[in-house]
Amino acid sequence: MPVIQTASTKSPLTFQDLLFRLQSFWAERGCVLQQPYDVEVGAGTMAPETFLRVLGPKPYKVGYAQPSRRPADGRYGENPNRLFKHTQFQLILKPPPKNVQELYLESLEAMGIDLRQHDLKFEEDNWEWPAGGAWGVGWQVMLDGLEITQFTYFQQCGGMDLDPICAELTYGMERIAQFLQDVDSIYDIVWARDPETGAAATYGDVRLEEELQFSVYNFEYADVPRLWEHFNSYEAEAQALLHQAGALMADEKASAADKKRFPLLATYELALKCSNLFNLLDARGAISVTERVGVIGRIRNLAVGVAKAYAVQQEAG
Amino acid sequence: MSDFLFELGLEEIPARMIAGAEAELGRRVNDLLTRERLLTEDAALSTYSTPRRLAVLAEGVRSRQEDSEEQLTGPSWKVAFKDGAPTSAAEAFAKKAGVAVADLEKIATPKGEYVGANVKRLGRSAAEILASDLPKEVFAIYWAKNMYWRAGKPERMVRPVRWVVALLDSEIVPLEIAGIAAGRASRGHRVLHGEAPVAVEAASAYVDTLRAASVVVSVAERRHIIRKALDAATRAVAGARWREDEPLVETVVHLTEWPSVILGNFEAKYLELPEEVLVTVMRDHQKYFAVEGANGKLAACFLAVLNTKVDGEGAAIIRHGNARVLRARFKDARFFWDFDQKTPLTARVESLKSVTFQKELGSYAWKTEQNLAVARVLAATVKAGSVAFDEAALLKAVELAKTDLTTGLVKEFTELQGIIGGLYARAQGLGERVALAIYEQYTPASMEEEIPPSIEGQLLGIADRIQTIVAMFGIGNAPTGSKDPFALRRAANAIVKILAESDLPLTLSDVLAASGADGANRDQVVTFLRERLHFYLKDIYNFAYDVVNAVLAADSDDVRGAIARAEALRAVRGSEDFAAISVAFKRIKNIVRQAAEKGFVIGSATRIQLAPEAQRLAEASASLAPQVARLREQRAYADALALIATLRPVVDTFFDKVLVLDPDEKIRGAHLGLIDEVFRNFSGIADFSEIVTP
């Protein structure tokens, strides 16, 4: 006689199972599954798969798990609820289907959340990333009082109105795992379980060392003058590229092929580097409140500059 | 007679916007139906809303407008008919009016004979009118923040429209909104009912149909359910009651379609945290209601309002989840509380240098220095006025007032700035007066809130706010029109309220002097503070505007004095004698102004023989003036005004019998001198000429 598993006896999904489920769910609905972007970002939105793909008219559906760095949020691995680097499952649906909310709820069920047993609310929460000239309206999705997803209808990016707009779903994977596995500390989340032995690898096994060492680096060791040097150097290169891009995109004699091959994607990486360096400097307490606005403005010039040039480049030929 | 139902199905509307939009939809539908003569006399209109819908049900709608008849006037008869035969002008008019040429009539007007046409207008059907006009009304509803959702950006609204129900009785009204054709398919509760459409068979069945799909569409009913459920859940704890919080009730009413309530617990050890922190976490961050025990102190429980039905097992799961979130937040708060204590407030003064107050002005260290300077002068003035307080505690509080901005807890709960500082000051043994002043520094935050009970708190609040106002005006950040990004009006209102309701011996000019404002900056702030005092008397005390004008024209410096004078004036202004005095004073003001325009000299009444009526006025004025002045000094304003009112007969007789602007220059000068003196003698409480008289 087969063993019948019921909801209550089944062990909850591991962290990686949750990601598998979520990825399969959206892959089955026609999404491209991307790998995490390999440059430091503060949020999945900043990866080019979101920031640049949302521009222009071309439909696109993509999902990826993005490790997101917030140096100032590090707590040396001592706080059970805060991380320097957390995992966002980022999904972009451009344009959003009419039943996007229903699809989202199905994706929760795909992760083993029985909505009939929980309290679900969509509470107003609008999102913006000033340095990217990006904002949208939407909700924080609350499950039994816990924010598990940021659901945004992107309206502007790079200071430009989007048409069509897109839906951006950002799942907080650690929170969802903590919720489903019912653990009080992130570090107790079961990341993987050996099907043979049942031995668990926890989030702490996988990531605690990283949280500790990066907190130490971000708060204590990161060399402030050198961070500024890096910042200035990345910014200078990005500015130089943007300058050339501006001339090229405005040049009526330049061929579409010339425009298409201009490395705006590389320019954007340089802007992302600046953004991460800013976050590091901020964690080191090296940016006074007065300076803050100015430095954010410099990053904004780069990010918005790339977005504007990229929009023109997409139209070429 | 029909019932009309309109339901706009949206993705979840922000809770804060629903009530206003529901009312506006009702108003717009009502106006449309009224305008189009579609409402019967006993029509009734009800509005409904949930997070996912706005709806209106109009009972007693005509299915079509009544037919009407109208006479149109066309060209003159002579132009339209030549020799009895219709011209092209007649034909064109008949065509335009939609009648046969043979049906045109001759009508007589004062301007001559014209062609007339009697046009019958068939009433349009309600369905036709609603289909053509209602969508415009729906898109005109105000939302604080709108969005696009369809490609090509054809429309904006608060959230995407997902369905539309429009029924006249059981017939679908063929209207379309944002590309969605109206039908009878509504939606039920997302989880309890699921995605299957909910067919509304007839407009009148709306409320019950939705109820069967686990949606309570009436806001009032959900509010009632929630309040009852909060009561019921709280009864599980002996002697406990939930903390009344009307804004929170309204929020959860607009976050639910099928509300229920669970009571959860947290570990009693968290009760060691200050109540302010616990309540903020529960209310602002989690939308939970706090519970207090019989002793009025917080109990280790919370109430969460759910948007679902729960049985015992379900409740246990949801309670567990909510409790875990709350525990994590409390744990965080406790971490900050303990961590912050490692660096006492006194050791945080230096770090205020890196917290910007205002870019063009400086850091909070600069702000603190400025506040200290203001507070020292205020303290000296108050001491001179023999009001006792602890000056050292005041200065300590001013010095430490902003240091909580550097604490983790305030960074986490910015709404608790000041309060956290006060709590830390107390925990760090800095003295109760210091702690209290810091704690109270931002009260009153509104005109409804009480002023700080302690004198040190009052003075800190005044010093901090006047410093901000003067400095902000100095760099061109004065409020303009509806724009007041630095909330300077609120700051000035608070200063006025503190001066009005405390015993501080301070006038507005004392406060300004302490701020060190001078020149044009001072003049601007003086005007600004006067405006706020005017607002305070008129809108908070509800004094009539002429009373306020009269009182402030006499003096606008002493806030409590102005209130007392306004009260006395309000009491007498209705009396006949007083009205006559007001008229006379207006007359004096006019005559003196005219005299000045004509270059007449205002002379003296003392060394000249005047008419007996003028003599009597001079004598009455001279004998009453010192008495009135004395009463005024004693703040016996009502008595002073009663005394002034006794002047009426002599004043009246004077104006009846005496030609003020006498041709004789000397006599005229003496008359002018006399009335000017009367005016000055008796306008110290109020400028009576400002009083509007019937």
Side-chain angles (χ1 to χ4, degrees):
Chain A
M1 205 177 136
V3 176
I4 297 169
Q5 284 194 321
T6 67
S8 54
T9 59
K10 213 164 35 181
S11 66
L13 295 176
T14 62
F15 188 67
Q16 64 191 29
D17 281 336
L18 287 175
L19 271 173
F20 292 155
R21 291 280 188 100
L22 206 47
Q23 290 175 335
S24 314
F25 177 88
W26 288 110
E28 284 158 19
R29 279 150 192 86
C31 290
V32 169
L33 285 184
Q34 256 285 22
Q35 300 306 311
Y37 196 56
D38 58 342
V39 170
E40 310 89 326
V41 291
T45 306
M46 294 161 73
E49 282 295 276
T50 294
F51 186 75
L52 295 176
R53 292 279 192 181
V54 300
L55 302 169
K58 240 186 261 169
Y60 198 57
K61 291 191 272 190
V62 65
Y64 51 96
Q66 183 65 55
S68 304
R69 294 172 178 231
R70 312 255 168 99
D73 287 354
R75 292 289 182 274
Y76 297 84
E78 288 167 9
N79 184 307
N81 295 300
R82 290 196 187 217
L83 293 169
F84 140 70
K85 189 163 92 181
H86 67 287
T87 314
Q88 296 185 341
F89 184 78
Q90 167 84 359
L91 187 84
I92 291 292
L93 298 172
K94 175 188 171 189
K98 282 181 187 151
N99 60 343
V100 54
Q101 282 184 302
E102 286 74 19
L103 284 174
Y104 166 71
L105 296 183
E106 282 176 43
S107 77
L108 296 183
E109 304 218 319
M111 285 190 288
I113 298 173
D114 179 359
L115 292 175
R116 298 192 64 88
Q117 289 195 323
H118 297 285
D119 176 42
L120 177 90
K121 295 192 189 94
F122 286 84
E123 298 184 6
E124 180 192 19
D125 194 19
N126 303 320
W127 167 88
E128 67 172 336
W129 179 36
W135 65 272
V137 304
W139 307 276
Q140 46 179 344
V141 183
M142 307 296 286
L143 192 66
D144 297 351
L146 177 72
E147 181 192 350
I148 54 166
T149 305
Q150 175 74 42
F151 189 134
T152 306
Y153 286 114
F154 237 110
Q155 299 285 295
Q156 269 206 338
C157 185
M160 295 172 283
D161 271 4
L162 299 183
D163 188 16
I165 65 146
C166 65
E168 177 195 58
L169 306 185
T170 305
Y171 299 74
M173 296 311 296
E174 283 84 358
R175 286 192 175 184
I176 294 174
Q178 238 184 316
F179 177 84
L180 283 172
Q181 296 183 10
D182 192 21
V183 290
D184 277 343
S185 167
I186 289 173
Y187 298 104
D188 293 336
I189 291 170
V190 176
W191 186 300
R193 197 184 296 280
D194 187 324
E196 296 283 312
T197 63
T202 66
Y203 197 93
D205 295 334
V206 179
R207 292 219 49 249
L208 184 58
E209 187 179 30
E210 191 187 353
E211 283 294 323
L212 170 62
Q213 293 198 8
F214 272 92
S215 295
V216 171
Y217 175 75
N218 298 339
F219 292 126
E220 301 169 25
Y221 281 78
D223 185 311
V224 172
R226 204 159 274 145
L227 290 176
W228 276 121
E229 272 174 42
H230 295 326
F231 184 98
N232 292 333
S233 153
Y234 281 122
E235 184 195 30
E237 189 180 358
Q239 281 293 11
L241 284 164
L242 272 180
H243 191 70
Q244 295 173 61
L248 179 65
M249 298 305 157
D251 184 354
E252 286 170 15
K253 279 177 282 180
S255 72
D258 282 346
K259 290 181 181 173
K260 288 277 184 204
R261 67 192 296 280
F262 190 86
L264 282 171
L265 295 176
T267 313
Y268 184 60
E269 281 198 3
L270 299 168
L272 288 179
K273 286 286 186 190
C274 288
S275 172
N276 183 58
L277 286 161
F278 167 78
N279 290 339
L280 276 171
L281 284 162
D282 202 23
R284 288 291 275 123
I287 297 181
S288 70
V289 188
T290 17
E291 273 176 308
R292 218 185 151 73
V293 181
V295 184
I296 291 176
R298 286 162 69 183
I299 299 167
R300 187 187 151 97
N301 285 342
L302 302 181
V304 171
V306 172
K308 292 210 159 34
Y310 185 82
V312 177
Q313 185 177 50
Q314 291 306 295
E315 284 167 16
Chain B
M1 226 59 72
S2 304
D3 296 336
F4 172 61
L5 168 72
F6 176 73
E7 185 192 53
L8 184 68
L10 295 154
E11 295 184 2
E12 279 77 352
I13 310 164
R16 66 191 166 103
M17 303 179 194
I18 296 178
E22 178 189 331
E24 187 178 344
L25 175 66
R27 201 162 58 237
R28 287 183 175 279
V29 169
N30 184 56
D31 290 352
L32 172 62
L33 294 173
T34 308
R35 195 161 65 229
E36 296 295 340
R37 298 173 284 131
L38 286 170
L39 277 191
T40 57
E41 274 181 15
D42 41 353
L45 197 109
S46 321
T47 59
Y48 305 97
S49 69
T50 76
R52 295 177 75 198
R53 70 203 78 226
L54 298 178
V56 52
L57 176 65
E59 293 160 295
V61 174
R62 291 181 218 281
S63 46
R64 62 171 47 248
Q65 294 169 324
E66 280 175 11
D67 295 346
S68 60
E69 208 163 282
E70 191 184 358
Q71 189 173 61
L72 299 182
T73 309
S76 78
W77 188 261
K78 272 190 288 188
V79 173
F81 290 93
K82 289 259 157 46
D83 309 324
T87 65
S88 59
E91 278 160 12
F93 173 64
K95 191 175 170 198
K96 192 174 133 216
V99 300
V101 173
D103 292 334
L104 294 179
E105 297 169 356
K106 187 188 285 183
I107 52 174
T109 77
K111 286 188 279 177
E113 289 177 332
Y114 280 80
V115 179
N118 279 319
V119 184
K120 283 214 171 83
R121 293 206 183 278
L122 282 184
R124 290 200 297 159
S125 74
E128 190 187 336
I129 292 168
L130 288 165
S132 75
D133 291 359
L134 187 54
K136 285 195 285 274
E137 299 293 335
V138 170
F139 281 108
I141 291 173
Y142 169 79
W143 300 100
K145 200 170 182 104
N146 276 309
M147 64 172 283
Y148 294 110
W149 67 97
R150 290 205 289 164
K153 308 197 291 185
E155 69 270 306
R156 297 204 313 161
M157 209 180 279
V158 64
R159 290 291 184 273
V161 177
R162 288 307 178 209
W163 74 87
V164 180
V165 175
L167 295 174
L168 265 167
D169 294 333
S170 55
E171 294 293 313
I172 293 169
V173 178
L175 57 81
E176 188 186 293
I177 288 178
I180 295 171
R184 67 175 71 254
S186 179
R187 300 286 186 285
H189 187 281
R190 276 195 189 284
V191 174
L192 297 175
H193 178 82
E195 282 173 47
V198 175
V200 183
E201 294 305 335
S204 57
Y206 178 64
V207 174
D208 293 335
T209 306
L210 268 295
R211 191 189 308 281
S214 299
V215 176
V216 178
V217 290
S218 156
V219 170
E221 188 182 340
R222 289 203 306 280
R223 188 182 294 123
H224 181 74
I225 291 171
I226 288 171
R227 285 188 170 275
K228 288 280 166 208
L230 287 168
D231 290 342
T234 312
R235 278 198 283 276
V237 187
R241 54 180 191 172
W242 56 279
R243 282 257 168 107
E244 174 59 52
D245 189 337
E246 218 176 307
L248 185 57
V249 170
E250 289 314 294
T251 300
V252 293
V253 160
H254 293 300
L255 279 173
T256 51
E257 297 202 307
W258 191 271
S260 59
V261 169
I262 52 156
L263 175 81
N265 302 297
F266 55 84
E267 290 89 333
K269 64 178 180 188
Y270 290 117
L271 290 174
E272 292 162 14
L273 278 169
E275 188 176 308
E276 294 85 343
V277 173
L278 297 172
V279 171
T280 301
V281 171
M282 286 192 270
R283 181 188 57 211
D284 297 357
H285 295 236
Q286 293 301 127
K287 304 191 173 77
Y288 298 158
F289 290 85
V291 177
E292 56 186 33
N295 58 2
K297 291 229 163 77
L298 277 195
C301 355
F302 66 91
L303 292 157
V305 176
L306 314 178
N307 180 31
T308 191
K309 250 176 243 178
V310 280
D311 57 13
E313 193 196 350
I317 293 171
I318 295 173
R319 179 182 301 122
H320 181 74
N322 280 282
R324 197 199 12 234
V325 179
L326 190 61
R327 198 159 61 229
R329 289 206 177 260
F330 282 167
K331 210 174 207 164
D332 250 16
R334 205 169 60 177
F335 167 81
F336 286 125
W337 175 263
D338 294 339
F339 186 80
D340 287 344
Q341 302 281 3
K342 290 180 190 162
T343 314
L345 296 184
T346 45
R348 291 176 183 269
V349 177
E350 183 69 14
S351 51
L352 286 177
K353 283 184 182 153
S354 57
V355 186
T356 304
F357 166 60
Q358 167 69 25
K359 212 168 69 187
E360 297 96 318
L361 292 170
S363 68
Y364 271 99
W366 173 85
K367 170 74 170 146
T368 299
E369 282 307 312
Q370 302 290 312
N371 284 357
L372 270 170
V374 180
R376 281 196 194 99
V377 183
L378 286 178
T381 317
V382 172
K383 266 194 300 187
S386 345
V387 169
F389 68 104
D390 183 341
E391 187 177 4
L394 167 66
L395 297 180
K396 193 76 194 158
V398 176
E399 188 194 346
L400 300 177
K402 306 299 172 187
T403 50
D404 69 350
L405 294 174
T406 66
T407 65
L409 209 50
V410 168
K411 283 178 191 157
E412 196 71 6
F413 306 107
T414 48
E415 59 273 57
L416 289 179
Q417 57 175 303
I419 292 174
I420 301 277
L423 294 170
Y424 282 151
R426 182 174 298 152
Q428 292 162 13
L430 293 171
E432 189 53 27
R433 290 199 165 261
V434 176
L436 205 57
I438 296 174
Y439 186 98
E440 295 166 345
Q441 64 179 304
Y442 297 107
T443 54
S446 70
M447 286 290 101
E448 290 77 43
E449 237 178 63
E450 301 286 320
I451 64 160
S454 81
I455 290 180
E456 295 81 7
Q458 294 161 6
L459 290 173
L460 166 53
I462 292 174
D464 184 29
R465 290 178 178 101
I466 193 65
Q467 197 284 327
T468 299
I469 293 169
V470 168
M472 285 293 186
F473 271 66
I475 56 168
N477 282 340
T480 50
S482 61
K483 285 203 188 72
D484 184 13
F486 302 99
L488 300 182
R489 288 199 186 104
R490 193 172 68 190
N493 289 345
I495 292 177
V496 171
K497 189 173 163 94
I498 293 173
L499 292 181
E501 296 180 12
S502 68
D503 297 320
L504 293 175
L506 291 174
T507 62
L508 288 175
S509 50
D510 291 334
V511 171
L512 262 171
S515 77
D518 56 14
N521 185 16
R522 184 183 191 280
D523 295 344
Q524 265 192 310
V525 178
V526 166
T527 310
F528 177 64
L529 290 178
R530 287 213 176 123
E531 274 167 29
R532 299 334 293 163
L533 177 57
H534 193 283
F535 160 82
Y536 188 72
L537 293 177
K538 196 170 147 297
D539 293 343
I540 306 300
Y541 267 87
N542 288 318
F543 289 119
Y545 77 93
D546 59 342
V547 168
V548 177
N549 288 341
V551 163
L552 296 187
D555 174 70
S556 56
D557 197 27
D558 171 7
V559 174
R560 286 196 301 283
I563 295 167
R565 288 183 285 121
E567 269 163 0
L569 188 55
R570 174 159 65 187
V572 300
R573 69 163 293 192
S575 80
E576 205 183 311
D577 284 348
F578 199 78
I581 291 282
S582 300
V583 172
F585 273 63
K586 251 192 272 286
R587 207 159 157 187
I588 294 176
K589 212 175 179 182
N590 282 333
I591 295 170
V592 172
R593 197 188 57 231
Q594 283 166 17
E597 279 164 13
K598 290 183 180 151
F600 294 159
V601 178
I602 296 181
S604 163
T606 46
R607 268 181 300 196
I608 195 159
Q609 185 59 42
L610 294 173
E613 293 83 1
Q615 287 293 355
R616 272 204 289 284
L617 177 58
E619 284 155 19
S621 171
S623 92
L624 280 187
Q627 300 179 53
V628 168
R630 199 165 49 248
L631 288 169
R632 209 174 75 208
E633 266 163 41
Q634 296 162 358
R635 303 204 163 199
Y637 299 123
D639 295 342
L641 291 176
L643 209 54
I644 293 170
T646 62
L647 273 176
R648 181 195 174 178
V650 272
V651 171
D652 280 357
T653 321
F654 171 80
F655 280 114
D656 279 351
K657 305 283 181 199
V658 176
L659 177 63
V660 179
L661 299 179
D662 195 280
D664 180 308
E665 193 181 330
K666 280 218 177 91
I667 297 181
R668 184 173 68 217
H671 285 165
L672 287 171
L674 169 60
I675 58 175
D676 188 50
E677 192 182 292
V678 168
F679 193 88
R680 279 184 287 111
N681 279 346
F682 303 108
S683 294
I685 294 175
D687 177 349
F688 307 128
S689 69
E690 294 282 348
I691 295 294
V692 175
T693 43

